[in-house]
Amino acid sequence: MGLWYDETFDGHTRLGLRVKETLYSAESSYQKVEVIDTESFGRVLVIDNVFMTSEYDEFLYHEMLAHPALTTAPRIERVLVIGGGDGGTVREVLRHSDVKQCVMIEIDELVVEAAKRYLPGIGTAWNDPRLDVRFIDGIDYVKKSDDEKYDVILLDGTDPIGPGAVLFNEAFYEGCKRMLAEDGVMALQSESPLLMMDVFVETQHKLRSLFAEVHPYLGPVPLYGTGTWSWTWCSDTGEPLRPVKERQEAIIEGSKAYNPELHQAIFALPNYVKRALKL
Ligand code: SPD
C-alpha cells in the first residue's frame, strides 16, 4: 500500500495522497514546512499538515489569483504579492510585460528556500530583475510602509489558521487598502464556499465594508479537496468583467487555464453562493 499523507479538513473529512518520497521536512519559527513527492499530484508543498500547492494543479490556483486582477486594473506597473512563498503567483504576475516592479512579502524564508530547491517548476521567475522578495511580516508592512502605493495587490495566504490567520482580519485588509492606489485592484484567495462557507461569507462582509466593488469568483483546485475554491476581486472603481484585451491576448498562449471566456465564466455564481451573500 505504501505511505499515505492525509490532510484533515474539519475532523470528519480528509484527502490522502500516496507518497513516493518525503523530499524536505523542517520546522521554522512559524510553521512546519514539507515537500513530498506523490504518485498523483507530483511534488506537493505542505505547511502545518495542509496541502498548499502541487506540481499537478498549481496553475489552476495561481493563474486564477493573478490574471483576473492583472487584466482589469487600469495600471499594473507596481504589484504587491503577500504570501505565495512557492513562487507561483509572482511567476504569473511577471508574465505581464507592463509590470515594472513586483514586491513579494513572505514572512517565512524557509518556504522560499524549500520551494527554490524542490519546486523549481513552480517558481520559475525568482531571477526576474523586476522581483523584489522581502522576508518580513505582511501585517507590519501594510500598516506602516511608506512605499509608493500599488496598482495591484494579490493576497496568497494559507488557510486562516497559524501565521496565516491574520491575513483574514479586517485590520489587515485596511492596511492593504492603504497601500493600494485609489483605482487599484486587489485579489485574494478566499477559501472554499462549500466546506468553509462561514469563513467565505465573513471574508466577503469584511471586504464589502472596505471596497465599493467586491466580486467573488470560483474555480476548481483538486488539491484543496473541497470541490470548489474561491478568490475575490475588490476595487473602489473599475469592473471585473471589462478586461484589457491586449493584456489577455499576451498571456493566453502561455496559460494552461486562463482565457477570456473563462474570465467571464468564473464570476458567474451558483445560487447557493448568491443566497449566502444575499446577492
Ligand atoms: N487549503 C489551502 C489553501 C492554500 C491557499 N494558498 C496556497 C498558496 C499557493 N501559492
Side-chain angles (χ1 to χ4, degrees):
M1 278 295 279
L3 188 66
W4 288 76
Y5 197 116
D6 286 348
E7 175 184 338
T8 304
F9 303 120
D10 53 4
H12 309 293
T13 318
R14 65 188 183 189
L15 173 70
L17 301 179
R18 183 128 63 163
V19 178
K20 288 204 268 192
E21 192 185 352
T22 297
L23 299 168
Y24 180 81
S25 180
E27 191 99 29
S28 71
S29 37
Y30 303 103
Q31 55 207 353
K32 184 167 77 173
V33 180
E34 295 166 284
V35 180
I36 55 175
D37 194 12
T38 70
E39 295 287 350
S40 49
F41 279 69
R43 293 184 175 190
V44 179
L45 173 68
V46 190
I47 293 184
D48 283 342
N49 300 93
V50 177
F51 298 138
M52 284 296 132
T53 199
S54 82
E55 288 179 325
Y56 171 69
D57 70 348
E58 59 85 19
F59 67 97
L60 289 171
Y61 174 88
H62 294 120
E63 289 186 18
M64 291 306 128
L65 175 60
H67 302 310
L70 285 157
T71 52
T72 50
R75 288 170 319 283
I76 58 171
E77 287 191 8
R78 279 177 52 75
V79 179
L80 172 66
V81 174
I82 299 188
D86 50 72
T89 298
V90 295
R91 174 199 73 215
E92 290 304 316
V93 170
L94 292 163
R95 290 179 55 215
H96 289 268
S97 57
D98 289 344
V99 172
K100 301 262 184 299
Q101 191 192 15
C102 176
V103 174
M104 175 181 141
I105 306 286
E106 165 62 58
I107 197 165
D108 195 345
E109 193 164 357
L110 204 69
V111 176
V112 174
E113 272 174 27
K116 281 187 175 168
R117 181 141 181 221
Y118 295 103
L119 301 166
I122 295 181
T124 54
W126 293 121
N127 296 325
D128 191 307
R130 296 171 293 165
L131 179 62
D132 172 2
V133 180
R134 306 182 196 171
F135 297 109
I136 52 174
D137 186 338
I139 309 289
D140 283 351
Y141 180 75
V142 297
K143 279 191 185 159
K144 300 178 193 151
S145 170
D146 295 331
D147 286 353
E148 199 186 315
K149 288 180 192 262
Y150 292 90
D151 302 316
V152 173
I153 298 183
L154 302 175
L155 307 183
D156 185 8
T158 56
D159 293 324
I161 40 171
V166 282
L167 302 191
F168 284 80
N169 76 36
E170 232 157 338
F172 173 64
Y173 296 143
E174 274 165 23
C176 291
K177 187 157 186 198
R178 192 182 74 84
M179 294 304 296
L180 188 66
E182 247 173 60
D183 55 356
V185 173
M186 175 166 108
L188 56 142
Q189 78 89 355
S190 44
E191 299 291 315
S192 162
L194 285 160
L195 273 190
M196 285 90 114
M197 180 59 109
D198 49 346
V199 183
F200 170 74
V201 172
E202 219 180 286
T203 302
Q204 301 301 310
H205 287 145
K206 289 175 188 168
L207 294 167
R208 282 184 194 174
S209 71
L210 289 169
F211 292 95
E213 297 291 335
V214 174
H215 300 270
Y217 54 99
L218 307 178
V221 184
L223 183 70
Y224 301 159
T226 57
T228 301
W229 202 252
S230 82
W231 301 260
T232 303
W233 186 103
C234 317
S235 173
D236 270 341
T237 59
E239 229 255 63
L241 296 179
R242 307 190 87 180
V244 177
K245 281 206 172 49
E246 297 70 33
R247 286 191 211 148
Q248 288 187 311
E249 277 158 14
I251 57 158
I252 291 172
E253 186 71 22
S255 298
K256 288 193 192 164
Y258 181 85
N259 62 39
E261 303 85 65
L262 195 64
H263 184 120
Q264 299 297 314
I266 52 179
F267 285 94
L269 298 175
N271 292 344
Y272 76 94
V273 174
K274 283 186 170 184
R275 286 173 192 147
L277 300 177
K278 302 197 180 6
L279 292 174

